[in-house]
Amino acid sequence: MMKKNMLPPGLVNNLQEVLSKKGGNKNDGEKPKDDSTETSTSSAAPDEYDSSKPVLLVTNGEGVDSLGLVCLVQALLGLGLYNVHVCAPQLDKSFSAHSVTFRETITVASAEINGAVAYEVSGTTVDCVSLALSGALFSWSKPLLVISGINRGSSCGHRMYLSGVVAGAREALISGVPSLSLSLNWKKEESQENDFKDAVAVSLPLIKAAIRDIEKGVFPKSCFLNIEIPTSPLANKGFKLTKQSMWRPTLCWQAVSANRHPGAAHLMSNQQSLGLQLAQLGRDASAAGAARRGTAQSKNEEVVSVGAAKSDTRVKKYFRLEFVDKETETSDEDLDFKALNNGFIAVTPLSVSPQLEADIQTAASSWISGAVSDGGEQ
């Protein structure tokens, strides 16, 4: 029998009871079903959906074909309780932050995700959420919940300001729609593709609890929740309410020579080649003009000479940005990256108003405590 934690007001220290055997409630956190048992591909037109079911909008920062998004969508469809609609970037926009595409036309095309109405967008994650909520793409007025994820790699600390997946949830909050962002603390030397299914399984109880309480009108309205899932999802220690830390990766700019960077060398060679070609055309034209002047003795013929084009002699340098994670010492166990590294599912409430930080911590603490105590039962 699971033991309930006595939680102090405004703080959730450890919510292990939501996941039995450290792997999630057997009924609520079960793994997504195999593809063979998933809902068949919908033949409905994009503007048709079952109005008796709530609409969930799913987006992410890594592209419509990313495994994290596909696993999440398949799990939600497998529940059979929701209209799942997808609007996600066509390409990887992980570090697009809260950017939008302005003064350019974006392209939207239907995408194939088994059982869901899905579109891929040539813009950013924020473009996707803004467009989906505008009423120009979908026939519904507003979804019940926006879920952004699951991202490959954590979005803790100051990395949230760079994160496209967090920006997608933030844009939904700005538009007045409840939202969640989810990231898996992917480590190249440890993680496997199947970890995304496990990440979905352990986060489903919180997603279902959010849906239930949004319908009841008791989900926090002043914030969205950023959910960070540890590297080994099934070995997690439970949910933990956390605060955004000051942690940030080091932005490391590396100089790249044209010889070592084929793209730069190709660009440089093209520019130089164009300049040389123009210069040669100029010389040829001048020579032709001189020849005509020499042969046209009896004619008063004016010849216009084309000047030689100058090649681009500007100095060009090439750089590439890399993120280097650095170790940060802290004794505060309630910071997002600290809880994540200690094996917890870190849940950080985020607001667009810094003045509300204390209030959203209290509200989120109260909601999460109640939400996970019953495992997200509908």
Side-chain angles (χ1 to χ4, degrees):
M1 181 176 180
M2 293 181 292
K3 183 178 180 181
K4 294 185 67 175
N5 292 322
M6 299 302 294
L7 303 172
L11 179 65
V12 176
N13 288 322
N14 184 1
L15 301 173
Q16 288 179 303
E17 70 273 18
V18 73
L19 303 176
S20 62
K21 297 182 179 180
K22 296 183 180 181
N25 185 283
K26 291 183 179 180
N27 294 324
D28 297 328
E30 62 185 352
K31 297 182 181 180
K33 298 177 182 179
D34 294 333
D35 293 344
S36 60
T37 60
E38 293 296 338
T39 306
S40 59
T41 303
S42 173
S43 59
D47 60 348
E48 294 180 356
Y49 65 98
D50 186 349
S51 60
S52 66
K53 298 178 181 179
V55 174
L56 306 183
L57 175 66
V58 181
T59 189
N60 77 342
E62 297 184 326
V64 71
D65 295 325
S66 67
L67 190 56
L69 180 141
V70 172
C71 288
L72 176 60
V73 169
Q74 289 180 344
L76 294 172
L77 288 169
L79 297 175
L81 302 173
Y82 318 113
N83 292 289
V84 182
H85 289 189
V86 178
C87 189
Q90 180 183 34
L91 303 174
D92 190 343
K93 300 291 183 178
S94 299
F95 290 98
S96 60
H98 209 102
S99 62
V100 296
T101 303
F102 188 55
R103 296 194 179 97
E104 293 181 23
T105 300
I106 64 172
T107 302
V108 179
S110 58
E112 293 295 328
I113 298 181
N114 192 29
V117 175
Y119 290 100
E120 58 182 41
V121 179
S122 63
T124 67
T125 304
V126 174
D127 288 332
C128 294
V129 175
S130 177
L131 175 62
L133 300 182
S134 69
L137 182 62
F138 296 107
S139 61
W140 36 260
S141 58
K142 170 165 102 164
L144 183 75
L145 174 68
V146 172
I147 308 175
S148 186
I150 294 176
N151 187 66
R152 185 189 298 256
S154 72
S155 301
C156 291
H158 284 183
R159 200 162 187 161
M160 292 182 190
Y161 300 121
L162 304 174
S163 170
V165 72
V166 173
R170 186 189 300 115
E171 179 65 20
L173 176 65
I174 293 172
S175 301
V177 180
S179 60
L180 310 172
S181 59
L182 298 98
S183 298
L184 171 63
N185 190 26
W186 181 273
K187 293 184 179 179
K188 187 176 180 180
E189 64 279 5
E190 299 179 30
S191 300
Q192 301 176 2
E193 300 297 327
N194 199 58
D195 291 334
F196 282 107
K197 289 187 177 181
D198 296 338
V200 172
V202 300
S203 59
L204 270 182
L206 202 60
I207 293 173
K208 293 168 67 178
I211 294 169
R212 177 200 64 200
D213 288 348
I214 291 169
E215 293 178 320
K216 291 181 178 180
V218 295
F219 186 79
K221 295 180 174 61
S222 57
C223 65
F224 68 95
L225 301 181
N226 181 53
I227 303 166
E228 300 286 330
I229 304 164
T231 305
S232 300
L234 295 183
N236 75 83
K237 297 178 181 178
F239 290 96
K240 184 167 187 167
L241 181 71
T242 53
K243 298 175 291 186
Q244 182 181 3
S245 65
M246 301 293 287
W247 177 87
R248 59 166 289 177
T250 300
L251 305 184
C252 184
W253 287 97
Q254 298 287 343
V256 180
S257 69
N259 293 334
R260 293 175 52 200
H261 194 279
H266 179 68
L267 175 63
M268 184 180 298
S269 63
N270 283 347
Q271 292 173 336
Q272 292 175 341
S273 175
L274 178 60
L276 292 173
Q277 290 175 24
L278 290 173
Q280 185 61 46
L281 286 173
R283 288 192 292 270
D284 292 346
S286 297
R292 286 196 299 271
R293 284 194 298 270
T295 57
Q297 299 176 354
S298 61
K299 296 181 180 180
N300 185 18
E301 180 180 359
E302 181 179 358
V303 179
V304 178
S305 177
V306 179
K310 295 181 180 179
S311 61
D312 190 350
T313 59
R314 293 177 299 172
V315 176
K316 294 184 177 64
K317 297 183 179 181
Y318 300 90
F319 297 88
R320 185 177 181 87
L321 176 62
E322 296 180 357
F323 293 98
V324 178
D325 292 344
K326 59 182 180 179
E327 295 293 331
T328 303
E329 294 296 330
T330 179
S331 58
D332 191 344
E333 300 292 332
D334 297 321
L335 295 178
D336 50 14
F337 82 93
K338 185 75 171 181
L340 182 64
N341 289 338
N342 287 339
F344 290 94
I345 301 175
V347 182
T348 306
L350 299 173
S351 173
V352 294
S353 175
Q355 289 75 21
L356 295 176
E357 181 177 351
D359 294 338
I360 66 174
Q361 283 285 329
T362 302
S365 173
S366 176
W367 178 80
I368 294 172
S369 176
V372 303
S373 63
D374 57 11
E377 289 288 349
Q378 295 289 321

